[in-house]
Amino acid sequence: MEEKINNKNQEHLHLHAFCLHPNVRFESQTKDEEVVLTLRAHPITQISWITIALIMFFLPVFFNIPLVDFLTNNQIFFINFFWYSFLISYVFLNILNYLFNVGIVTNKRIVDVDFHGILYKETTASSIDKIEDVTIKSAGYIPSLFNFGNVFVQTAGNEQNIEFINVPKPTEAASIINQLMKLYRHNHGHRPNN
Amino acid sequence: MAIDQIINNINLEFLIYWLVKIVGIIGSVLYLIFTLVLIKQTGVMKKTIEINDKNILTIIALIQFFLAIFLIIDILFFV
């Protein structure tokens, strides 16, 4: 695993849900801070909204039939156009949620960026030396089958704990964080706060 | 006089026409506001994390804004 941290080759897995040494930058990144890992929800967890979008795509085929008796062609065109515009927005919002709800592991910090809808943003960060414990939780048939789960990062003191939900390869992610903790301790010559 | 005309013209077709018109205008204006927020928020998200998307996300957000403009024009002048 240490090889993966030291080896700077980029690795993008599961539709960019698990990226090693990605070419990304984030808002509060410092000059000497290097992104080691980015984590997003496993693509399989996006199935629910994709299914809803597919149903919404084909729904006008059915509701247009009775509308022909009541509405003019212009009115039907408008309703359908409105429907598909709404559908584009729904899909776009979900893609934004997927792309920007991201966990970032750097050589110095762990950052969790959460966007809920389009109006609520929450960023939680904790430095590597404040991390006390990393635990993973993967339960159920689907998480076991597709190898995804939750990574909980417990931090010392008043710092907020960090959670990466439904991320792929949780064991590998936890292992990378542990290795970074060891590297940090080795380089700075002290144990993390207990 | 105008009220008498309206009462005389009230039938299903008339009601449906105005229902579609009013709901359409309100819906389109709300959608326009939503797309403006979406453009702004896409910028905020891209500033938070730079993901090298070659501006595709901004272009899609702008397309939705133009769709909203088209919807308003359509409901006002063609429906």
Side-chain angles (χ1 to χ4, degrees):
Chain A
M1 193 56 63
E2 201 164 344
E3 284 171 19
K4 284 203 170 186
I5 295 168
N6 295 329
N7 185 357
K8 305 291 179 193
N9 288 341
Q10 288 188 15
E11 196 177 317
H12 300 277
L13 301 168
H14 303 286
L15 292 172
H16 293 263
F18 188 98
C19 302
L20 265 171
H21 301 288
N23 183 24
V24 296
R25 286 196 64 78
F26 61 98
E27 207 172 17
S28 56
Q29 188 173 355
T30 54
K31 277 182 184 173
D32 54 343
E33 194 170 15
E34 183 197 333
V35 177
V36 177
L37 176 71
T38 57
L39 295 164
R40 295 185 174 89
H42 193 288
I44 202 75
T45 60
Q46 309 299 306
I47 285 290
S48 57
W49 71 259
I50 292 169
T51 310
I52 291 169
L54 280 172
I55 292 167
M56 283 172 74
F57 183 81
F58 291 108
L59 214 56
V61 174
F62 302 103
F63 74 60
N64 276 342
I65 296 165
L67 285 183
V68 173
D69 297 333
F70 301 100
L71 303 177
T72 64
N73 286 341
N74 283 349
Q75 287 170 332
I76 292 172
F77 172 79
F78 173 79
I79 289 168
N80 280 283
F81 203 88
F82 193 93
W83 180 268
Y84 283 110
S85 301
F86 179 78
L87 178 59
I88 290 169
S89 297
Y90 175 73
V91 171
F92 186 64
L93 268 181
N94 279 294
I95 290 171
L96 286 182
N97 269 337
Y98 173 72
L99 287 176
F100 292 100
N101 280 312
V102 56
I104 303 166
V105 179
T106 74
N107 56 341
K108 289 186 166 184
R109 283 186 299 168
I110 292 188
V111 184
D112 184 19
V113 183
D114 285 323
F115 285 94
H116 301 289
I118 55 166
L119 297 173
Y120 181 79
K121 174 187 167 186
E122 185 184 345
T123 307
T124 317
S126 177
S127 54
I128 291 279
D129 64 321
K130 292 277 192 280
I131 295 171
E132 284 197 328
D133 189 28
V134 183
T135 50
I136 60 164
K137 186 180 166 188
S138 178
Y141 293 110
I142 306 240
S144 301
L145 187 64
F146 292 98
N147 189 18
F148 70 89
N150 303 339
V151 178
F152 299 101
V153 180
Q154 200 181 331
T155 56
N158 292 331
E159 296 214 15
Q160 205 175 337
N161 293 340
I162 292 172
E163 295 177 0
F164 300 137
I165 307 294
N166 292 334
V167 294
K169 300 185 172 194
T171 316
E172 201 169 316
S175 179
I176 288 170
I177 296 168
N178 278 323
Q179 283 300 322
L180 285 167
M181 285 162 66
K182 277 184 191 169
L183 273 176
Y184 191 93
R185 275 184 244 169
H186 182 260
N187 293 340
H188 293 79
H190 66 83
R191 280 175 55 79
N193 297 339
N194 286 319
Chain B
M1 185 67 180
I3 294 167
D4 289 341
Q5 266 184 335
I6 290 168
I7 291 166
N8 291 333
N9 286 328
I10 284 180
N11 54 37
L12 189 63
E13 201 179 313
F14 179 84
L15 278 175
I16 288 172
Y17 170 80
W18 280 106
L19 186 72
V20 171
K21 194 96 173 168
I22 291 166
V23 172
I25 289 169
I26 294 168
S28 302
V29 169
L30 287 175
Y31 184 60
L32 180 73
I33 295 165
F34 168 77
T35 59
L36 288 170
V37 175
L38 199 60
I39 290 168
K40 171 88 180 155
Q41 196 61 17
T42 306
V44 171
M45 285 172 160
K46 286 179 69 175
K47 201 177 154 191
T48 307
I49 309 158
E50 293 170 18
I51 57 163
N52 308 315
D53 67 322
K54 294 171 187 167
N55 277 336
I56 290 170
L57 294 175
T58 312
I59 291 166
I60 297 172
L62 279 170
I63 287 170
Q64 287 173 82
F65 171 73
F66 290 117
L67 286 177
I69 298 277
F70 178 84
L71 279 169
I72 289 176
I73 293 168
D74 188 39
I75 191 70
L76 286 177
F77 302 109
F78 299 103
V79 175

